[in-house]
Amino acid sequence: MKQKLLFAFCAIQLSLISFAQLKPVDYLDGTQKLSGFISKPAKPNKINAGVLILPAWMGIDDHAKESATDLSKLGYYTFVADIYGVGNKPTNYSEAGQKAGYFKKNIKEYQNRIQLALEQLIKQGANPDEIVVMGYCFGGTGAIEAARINMKVKGIVSFHGGLSRDEARSIEPINARVLVLHGADDPYESEAEIKLFQNEMRTSKADWEMVYYANAVHSFTDKNAGTDNSKGAAYNEKAEKRSWKALLQFLKEVLV
């Protein structure tokens, strides 16, 4: 029992150390208070490039924070966006589905929350001309939305994000470069949806690419998702590592 408690204590301490460079940033959407996290690099790259990170459907989590700190160590300004707002963080998957579903349905509100977070990243020191937006799952959907409305960013990276779009919406030219990292066996994106997305990218004349990872389903970067692919969402170590490398290569090519 003592060993288990010691292990848990050490894990908490390591987590606190890992996230020590993250600082909370409060901002507003009307009367709704939002609270994201900034991580400023100890040694910024020459162009003060920034990465905006959009969390998955449970809201700001350790995964998003870890990505922020890891990228900050590489010289990038990073900001973890608060999409739901203070007091609205889901406590279970059912609530997460409802809250994420609301923003997917009310897409302009989602786009606005992303824009507000982008502004905070810039206020904290990131070069407004050298920014990439990345997101996981629900956040990946948001990253693609940033491309669809041509937010002033250079690149978009979606990790196992939703690809669907209301077909009543017009397709506009996309200026940002787009990278979609997708589980080859993801059951939540049908072949029809994938085909529509790819046709959208062609019609928008985007500079885009889509990478499939073998034996990977939804949430393949989430270590808390278990490893049972039959559930539709599961962690895949190979896919996580390969997709992270793809992100880093993308950042090197885009943020120049």
Side-chain angles (χ1 to χ4, degrees), residues 14-44:
L14 287 172
S15 178
L16 291 174
I17 292 172
S18 175
F19 300 147
Q21 66 195 97
L22 283 170
K23 305 298 181 184
V25 176
D26 294 336
Y27 55 115
L28 293 171
D29 180 5
T31 59
Q32 174 63 58
K33 181 180 178 181
L34 306 170
S35 187
F37 287 89
I38 186 71
S39 184
K40 297 182 180 181
K43 296 182 179 179

Side-chain angles (χ1 to χ4, degrees), residues 124-142:
Q124 295 296 325
N127 185 337
D129 297 319
E130 300 291 340
I131 292 175
V132 162
V133 180
M134 61 175 280
Y136 297 104
C137 296
F138 170 55
T141 301

